[in-house]
Amino acid sequence: MSDTHVVLHDPRGLIEAKLPLDRAPHEALVTAVLEWKDANLAPRDYEQIALQLTGHARAVAADVRRLAAALPKNDGRGAFAEVVLREADGRLSAPLEGTARCVQNRARLVRALYTRLDRLTEPAPTTM
């Protein structure tokens, strides 16, 4: 095996768009984290869980952004997706802390992004 690696330049996110999200294990992690009542982990353990959720939140946000950009301008789902994405960007830019509160905030963010993703993949509502 070689010690070299290749860096991919993919500014339009085409590679990510073709990779499916590994949703089930992350949703299970979100559920477990949000059920914590009195978690007593080491700060570095909280940080590792928060890093995992942060990376997944960024991947889900990229899918939401891609789907929202493909919607017609008069589709209100795109406008709401932009609001959710702006909030996600703000929350993801906050530094990680080794606390249960930080991890649970990241878990709530992943849940909110999946909710928005699901709404973007549903057929557009018909208007009369």
Side-chain angles (χ1 to χ4, degrees), residues 81-115:
E82 288 302 320
V83 171
V84 171
L85 288 168
R86 272 195 304 276
E87 181 169 333
D89 288 343
R91 290 168 68 184
L92 288 170
S93 68
L96 292 179
E97 301 169 8
T99 64
R101 181 174 176 253
C102 176
V103 173
Q104 288 178 322
N105 284 338
R106 297 297 163 122
R108 286 184 198 96
L109 176 59
V110 170
R111 182 173 279 173
L113 287 166
Y114 267 128
T115 298

mmCIF file of all heavy atoms in Angstrom, residues 81-115:
data_model
loop_
_atom_site.group_PDB
_atom_site.id
_atom_site.type_symbol
_atom_site.label_atom_id
_atom_site.label_comp_id
_atom_site.label_asym_id
_atom_site.label_seq_id
_atom_site.Cartn_x
_atom_site.Cartn_y
_atom_site.Cartn_z
ATOM 1 N N ALA A 81 -36.410 26.447 3.443
ATOM 2 C CA ALA A 81 -35.146 25.720 3.524
ATOM 3 C C ALA A 81 -33.989 26.696 3.737
ATOM 4 O O ALA A 81 -33.065 26.411 4.500
ATOM 5 C CB ALA A 81 -34.918 24.883 2.273
ATOM 6 N N GLU A 82 -34.034 27.842 3.077
ATOM 7 C CA GLU A 82 -32.976 28.846 3.251
ATOM 8 C C GLU A 82 -32.921 29.349 4.687
ATOM 9 O O GLU A 82 -31.838 29.573 5.230
ATOM 10 C CB GLU A 82 -33.174 30.012 2.275
ATOM 11 C CG GLU A 82 -32.864 29.645 0.840
ATOM 12 C CD GLU A 82 -31.435 29.137 0.653
ATOM 13 O OE1 GLU A 82 -30.497 29.692 1.269
ATOM 14 O OE2 GLU A 82 -31.268 28.165 -0.099
ATOM 15 N N VAL A 83 -34.081 29.527 5.312
ATOM 16 C CA VAL A 83 -34.114 29.958 6.715
ATOM 17 C C VAL A 83 -33.465 28.897 7.598
ATOM 18 O O VAL A 83 -32.621 29.204 8.455
ATOM 19 C CB VAL A 83 -35.570 30.231 7.164
ATOM 20 C CG1 VAL A 83 -35.648 30.455 8.667
ATOM 21 C CG2 VAL A 83 -36.144 31.407 6.409
ATOM 22 N N VAL A 84 -33.842 27.640 7.375
ATOM 23 C CA VAL A 84 -33.276 26.542 8.163
ATOM 24 C C VAL A 84 -31.767 26.442 7.929
ATOM 25 O O VAL A 84 -30.996 26.236 8.867
ATOM 26 C CB VAL A 84 -33.992 25.216 7.814
ATOM 27 C CG1 VAL A 84 -33.289 24.028 8.446
ATOM 28 C CG2 VAL A 84 -35.447 25.272 8.255
ATOM 29 N N LEU A 85 -31.332 26.618 6.692
ATOM 30 C CA LEU A 85 -29.905 26.531 6.377
ATOM 31 C C LEU A 85 -29.113 27.672 7.004
ATOM 32 O O LEU A 85 -27.987 27.467 7.468
ATOM 33 C CB LEU A 85 -29.692 26.494 4.868
ATOM 34 C CG LEU A 85 -30.098 25.180 4.206
ATOM 35 C CD1 LEU A 85 -30.143 25.334 2.698
ATOM 36 C CD2 LEU A 85 -29.158 24.058 4.621
ATOM 37 N N ARG A 86 -29.683 28.872 7.026
ATOM 38 C CA ARG A 86 -28.987 29.992 7.675
ATOM 39 C C ARG A 86 -28.811 29.721 9.163
ATOM 40 O O ARG A 86 -27.742 29.962 9.739
ATOM 41 C CB ARG A 86 -29.750 31.299 7.466
ATOM 42 C CG ARG A 86 -29.377 32.022 6.197
ATOM 43 C CD ARG A 86 -29.859 33.465 6.194
ATOM 44 N NE ARG A 86 -31.286 33.605 6.415
ATOM 45 C CZ ARG A 86 -32.216 33.499 5.464
ATOM 46 N NH1 ARG A 86 -31.865 33.261 4.227
ATOM 47 N NH2 ARG A 86 -33.487 33.650 5.754
ATOM 48 N N GLU A 87 -29.855 29.194 9.790
ATOM 49 C CA GLU A 87 -29.744 28.862 11.212
ATOM 50 C C GLU A 87 -28.724 27.741 11.413
ATOM 51 O O GLU A 87 -27.925 27.782 12.344
ATOM 52 C CB GLU A 87 -31.088 28.447 11.789
ATOM 53 C CG GLU A 87 -30.971 28.128 13.263
ATOM 54 C CD GLU A 87 -32.294 27.956 13.951
ATOM 55 O OE1 GLU A 87 -33.295 28.529 13.524
ATOM 56 O OE2 GLU A 87 -32.305 27.218 14.952
ATOM 57 N N ALA A 88 -28.749 26.751 10.540
ATOM 58 C CA ALA A 88 -27.793 25.641 10.646
ATOM 59 C C ALA A 88 -26.364 26.154 10.501
ATOM 60 O O ALA A 88 -25.481 25.749 11.267
ATOM 61 C CB ALA A 88 -28.091 24.590 9.585
ATOM 62 N N ASP A 89 -26.139 27.043 9.543
ATOM 63 C CA ASP A 89 -24.793 27.598 9.358
ATOM 64 C C ASP A 89 -24.321 28.310 10.622
ATOM 65 O O ASP A 89 -23.166 28.172 11.034
ATOM 66 C CB ASP A 89 -24.760 28.557 8.166
ATOM 67 C CG ASP A 89 -24.864 27.846 6.830
ATOM 68 O OD1 ASP A 89 -24.648 26.612 6.783
ATOM 69 O OD2 ASP A 89 -25.193 28.525 5.830
ATOM 70 N N GLY A 90 -25.220 29.065 11.236
ATOM 71 C CA GLY A 90 -24.865 29.766 12.467
ATOM 72 C C GLY A 90 -24.551 28.811 13.600
ATOM 73 O O GLY A 90 -23.566 28.980 14.325
ATOM 74 N N ARG A 91 -25.369 27.781 13.737
ATOM 75 C CA ARG A 91 -25.149 26.827 14.823
ATOM 76 C C ARG A 91 -23.906 25.973 14.583
ATOM 77 O O ARG A 91 -23.202 25.623 15.522
ATOM 78 C CB ARG A 91 -26.392 25.962 15.001
ATOM 79 C CG ARG A 91 -27.547 26.795 15.582
ATOM 80 C CD ARG A 91 -28.868 26.109 15.518
ATOM 81 N NE ARG A 91 -28.957 24.945 16.387
ATOM 82 C CZ ARG A 91 -30.014 24.152 16.434
ATOM 83 N NH1 ARG A 91 -31.056 24.394 15.649
ATOM 84 N NH2 ARG A 91 -30.033 23.120 17.237
ATOM 85 N N LEU A 92 -23.632 25.647 13.324
ATOM 86 C CA LEU A 92 -22.441 24.845 13.017
ATOM 87 C C LEU A 92 -21.157 25.643 13.158
ATOM 88 O O LEU A 92 -20.081 25.064 13.310
ATOM 89 C CB LEU A 92 -22.546 24.251 11.612
ATOM 90 C CG LEU A 92 -23.569 23.123 11.469
ATOM 91 C CD1 LEU A 92 -23.776 22.773 10.003
ATOM 92 C CD2 LEU A 92 -23.154 21.910 12.285
ATOM 93 N N SER A 93 -21.253 26.964 13.090
ATOM 94 C CA SER A 93 -20.048 27.782 13.229
ATOM 95 C C SER A 93 -19.662 27.984 14.694
ATOM 96 O O SER A 93 -18.547 28.421 14.979
ATOM 97 C CB SER A 93 -20.233 29.136 12.544
ATOM 98 O OG SER A 93 -21.200 29.902 13.241
ATOM 99 N N ALA A 94 -20.575 27.655 15.609
ATOM 100 C CA ALA A 94 -20.259 27.779 17.033
ATOM 101 C C ALA A 94 -19.239 26.706 17.412
ATOM 102 O O ALA A 94 -19.308 25.576 16.933
ATOM 103 C CB ALA A 94 -21.528 27.618 17.867
ATOM 104 N N PRO A 95 -18.290 27.052 18.259
ATOM 105 C CA PRO A 95 -17.274 26.063 18.644
ATOM 106 C C PRO A 95 -17.896 24.918 19.442
ATOM 107 O O PRO A 95 -18.873 25.105 20.166
ATOM 108 C CB PRO A 95 -16.297 26.860 19.502
ATOM 109 C CG PRO A 95 -17.030 28.081 19.922
ATOM 110 C CD PRO A 95 -18.086 28.344 18.908
ATOM 111 N N LEU A 96 -17.310 23.744 19.279
ATOM 112 C CA LEU A 96 -17.768 22.580 20.024
ATOM 113 C C LEU A 96 -17.315 22.680 21.470
ATOM 114 O O LEU A 96 -16.237 23.209 21.761
ATOM 115 C CB LEU A 96 -17.207 21.301 19.414
ATOM 116 C CG LEU A 96 -17.723 20.926 18.035
ATOM 117 C CD1 LEU A 96 -17.051 19.643 17.564
ATOM 118 C CD2 LEU A 96 -19.219 20.758 18.037
ATOM 119 N N GLU A 97 -18.146 22.165 22.351
ATOM 120 C CA GLU A 97 -17.810 22.100 23.763
ATOM 121 C C GLU A 97 -17.935 20.653 24.198
ATOM 122 O O GLU A 97 -18.708 19.893 23.627
ATOM 123 C CB GLU A 97 -18.766 22.962 24.582
ATOM 124 C CG GLU A 97 -18.769 24.422 24.188
ATOM 125 C CD GLU A 97 -19.908 25.194 24.840
ATOM 126 O OE1 GLU A 97 -20.594 24.625 25.716
ATOM 127 O OE2 GLU A 97 -20.097 26.351 24.477
ATOM 128 N N GLY A 98 -17.233 20.282 25.195
ATOM 129 C CA GLY A 98 -17.305 18.929 25.713
ATOM 130 C C GLY A 98 -18.416 18.780 26.730
ATOM 131 O O GLY A 98 -18.163 18.392 27.871
ATOM 132 N N THR A 99 -19.658 19.113 26.310
ATOM 133 C CA THR A 99 -20.793 19.060 27.227
ATOM 134 C C THR A 99 -21.973 18.330 26.588
ATOM 135 O O THR A 99 -22.099 18.272 25.361
ATOM 136 C CB THR A 99 -21.271 20.470 27.606
ATOM 137 O OG1 THR A 99 -21.764 21.120 26.424
ATOM 138 C CG2 THR A 99 -20.146 21.311 28.215
ATOM 139 N N ALA A 100 -22.846 17.811 27.447
ATOM 140 C CA ALA A 100 -24.064 17.159 26.957
ATOM 141 C C ALA A 100 -24.946 18.179 26.229
ATOM 142 O O ALA A 100 -25.568 17.856 25.219
ATOM 143 C CB ALA A 100 -24.826 16.530 28.117
ATOM 144 N N ARG A 101 -24.984 19.391 26.724
ATOM 145 C CA ARG A 101 -25.811 20.441 26.097
ATOM 146 C C ARG A 101 -25.389 20.680 24.648
ATOM 147 O O ARG A 101 -26.226 20.780 23.748
ATOM 148 C CB ARG A 101 -25.696 21.724 26.903
ATOM 149 C CG ARG A 101 -26.532 22.854 26.359
ATOM 150 C CD ARG A 101 -26.473 24.051 27.314
ATOM 151 N NE ARG A 101 -27.202 25.162 26.749
ATOM 152 C CZ ARG A 101 -26.634 26.249 26.243
ATOM 153 N NH1 ARG A 101 -25.320 26.371 26.247
ATOM 154 N NH2 ARG A 101 -27.355 27.214 25.739
ATOM 155 N N CYS A 102 -24.099 20.765 24.402
ATOM 156 C CA CYS A 102 -23.582 20.971 23.049
ATOM 157 C C CYS A 102 -23.977 19.803 22.147
ATOM 158 O O CYS A 102 -24.439 19.999 21.023
ATOM 159 C CB CYS A 102 -22.068 21.137 23.080
ATOM 160 S SG CYS A 102 -21.298 21.276 21.458
ATOM 161 N N VAL A 103 -23.799 18.580 22.644
ATOM 162 C CA VAL A 103 -24.128 17.397 21.852
ATOM 163 C C VAL A 103 -25.626 17.370 21.542
ATOM 164 O O VAL A 103 -26.038 17.097 20.410
ATOM 165 C CB VAL A 103 -23.683 16.111 22.585
ATOM 166 C CG1 VAL A 103 -24.178 14.870 21.864
ATOM 167 C CG2 VAL A 103 -22.171 16.075 22.712
ATOM 168 N N GLN A 104 -26.457 17.680 22.522
ATOM 169 C CA GLN A 104 -27.899 17.667 22.292
ATOM 170 C C GLN A 104 -28.319 18.760 21.317
ATOM 171 O O GLN A 104 -29.228 18.551 20.507
ATOM 172 C CB GLN A 104 -28.645 17.788 23.621
ATOM 173 C CG GLN A 104 -28.543 16.508 24.423
ATOM 174 C CD GLN A 104 -29.215 16.577 25.769
ATOM 175 O OE1 GLN A 104 -29.178 17.597 26.449
ATOM 176 N NE2 GLN A 104 -29.825 15.470 26.173
ATOM 177 N N ASN A 105 -27.652 19.897 21.344
ATOM 178 C CA ASN A 105 -27.952 20.944 20.353
ATOM 179 C C ASN A 105 -27.606 20.478 18.943
ATOM 180 O O ASN A 105 -28.347 20.745 17.993
ATOM 181 C CB ASN A 105 -27.208 22.238 20.696
ATOM 182 C CG ASN A 105 -27.841 22.976 21.845
ATOM 183 O OD1 ASN A 105 -29.018 22.798 22.147
ATOM 184 N ND2 ASN A 105 -27.066 23.805 22.520
ATOM 185 N N ARG A 106 -26.493 19.777 18.780
ATOM 186 C CA ARG A 106 -26.131 19.243 17.463
ATOM 187 C C ARG A 106 -27.142 18.177 17.028
ATOM 188 O O ARG A 106 -27.503 18.096 15.857
ATOM 189 C CB ARG A 106 -24.707 18.670 17.473
ATOM 190 C CG ARG A 106 -23.624 19.702 17.755
ATOM 191 C CD ARG A 106 -23.565 20.770 16.669
ATOM 192 N NE ARG A 106 -22.848 21.941 17.110
ATOM 193 C CZ ARG A 106 -21.779 22.437 16.522
ATOM 194 N NH1 ARG A 106 -21.276 21.871 15.458
ATOM 195 N NH2 ARG A 106 -21.217 23.529 16.992
ATOM 196 N N ALA A 107 -27.608 17.376 17.977
ATOM 197 C CA ALA A 107 -28.603 16.347 17.656
ATOM 198 C C ALA A 107 -29.909 16.996 17.197
ATOM 199 O O ALA A 107 -30.528 16.542 16.222
ATOM 200 C CB ALA A 107 -28.848 15.456 18.866
ATOM 201 N N ARG A 108 -30.335 18.064 17.860
ATOM 202 C CA ARG A 108 -31.551 18.779 17.440
ATOM 203 C C ARG A 108 -31.381 19.362 16.037
ATOM 204 O O ARG A 108 -32.317 19.374 15.242
ATOM 205 C CB ARG A 108 -31.884 19.883 18.439
ATOM 206 C CG ARG A 108 -32.452 19.376 19.723
ATOM 207 C CD ARG A 108 -32.859 20.526 20.663
ATOM 208 N NE ARG A 108 -33.001 20.015 21.988
ATOM 209 C CZ ARG A 108 -32.063 20.054 22.938
ATOM 210 N NH1 ARG A 108 -30.893 20.632 22.703
ATOM 211 N NH2 ARG A 108 -32.286 19.541 24.130
ATOM 212 N N LEU A 109 -30.196 19.828 15.752
ATOM 213 C CA LEU A 109 -29.927 20.379 14.428
ATOM 214 C C LEU A 109 -30.030 19.297 13.353
ATOM 215 O O LEU A 109 -30.644 19.515 12.306
ATOM 216 C CB LEU A 109 -28.544 21.034 14.395
ATOM 217 C CG LEU A 109 -28.084 21.577 13.046
ATOM 218 C CD1 LEU A 109 -29.054 22.634 12.527
ATOM 219 C CD2 LEU A 109 -26.684 22.131 13.158
ATOM 220 N N VAL A 110 -29.450 18.137 13.599
ATOM 221 C CA VAL A 110 -29.546 17.032 12.633
ATOM 222 C C VAL A 110 -31.015 16.674 12.411
ATOM 223 O O VAL A 110 -31.458 16.502 11.272
ATOM 224 C CB VAL A 110 -28.734 15.805 13.099
ATOM 225 C CG1 VAL A 110 -29.037 14.581 12.241
ATOM 226 C CG2 VAL A 110 -27.243 16.108 13.075
ATOM 227 N N ARG A 111 -31.784 16.597 13.477
ATOM 228 C CA ARG A 111 -33.211 16.278 13.355
ATOM 229 C C ARG A 111 -33.943 17.334 12.523
ATOM 230 O O ARG A 111 -34.745 16.996 11.646
ATOM 231 C CB ARG A 111 -33.837 16.147 14.736
ATOM 232 C CG ARG A 111 -35.308 15.769 14.673
ATOM 233 C CD ARG A 111 -35.870 15.491 16.024
ATOM 234 N NE ARG A 111 -35.495 14.128 16.399
ATOM 235 C CZ ARG A 111 -35.717 13.609 17.597
ATOM 236 N NH1 ARG A 111 -36.288 14.324 18.540
ATOM 237 N NH2 ARG A 111 -35.373 12.361 17.847
ATOM 238 N N ALA A 112 -33.671 18.600 12.775
ATOM 239 C CA ALA A 112 -34.324 19.678 12.014
ATOM 240 C C ALA A 112 -33.944 19.621 10.534
ATOM 241 O O ALA A 112 -34.791 19.831 9.659
ATOM 242 C CB ALA A 112 -33.952 21.037 12.605
ATOM 243 N N LEU A 113 -32.696 19.331 10.257
ATOM 244 C CA LEU A 113 -32.260 19.243 8.858
ATOM 245 C C LEU A 113 -32.908 18.059 8.145
ATOM 246 O O LEU A 113 -33.300 18.171 6.986
ATOM 247 C CB LEU A 113 -30.735 19.159 8.781
ATOM 248 C CG LEU A 113 -30.001 20.461 9.092
ATOM 249 C CD1 LEU A 113 -28.525 20.208 9.339
ATOM 250 C CD2 LEU A 113 -30.202 21.463 7.968
ATOM 251 N N TYR A 114 -33.047 16.933 8.827
ATOM 252 C CA TYR A 114 -33.732 15.791 8.215
ATOM 253 C C TYR A 114 -35.204 16.093 7.972
ATOM 254 O O TYR A 114 -35.762 15.681 6.957
ATOM 255 C CB TYR A 114 -33.575 14.532 9.064
ATOM 256 C CG TYR A 114 -32.404 13.692 8.639
ATOM 257 C CD1 TYR A 114 -31.449 13.286 9.553
ATOM 258 C CD2 TYR A 114 -32.237 13.292 7.320
ATOM 259 C CE1 TYR A 114 -30.359 12.509 9.170
ATOM 260 C CE2 TYR A 114 -31.159 12.528 6.925
ATOM 261 C CZ TYR A 114 -30.234 12.139 7.849
ATOM 262 O OH TYR A 114 -29.167 11.378 7.460
ATOM 263 N N THR A 115 -35.827 16.813 8.884
ATOM 264 C CA THR A 115 -37.224 17.209 8.681
ATOM 265 C C THR A 115 -37.347 18.058 7.430
ATOM 266 O O THR A 115 -38.237 17.850 6.595
ATOM 267 C CB THR A 115 -37.741 17.976 9.918
ATOM 268 O OG1 THR A 115 -37.681 17.111 11.046
ATOM 269 C CG2 THR A 115 -39.165 18.456 9.712
#
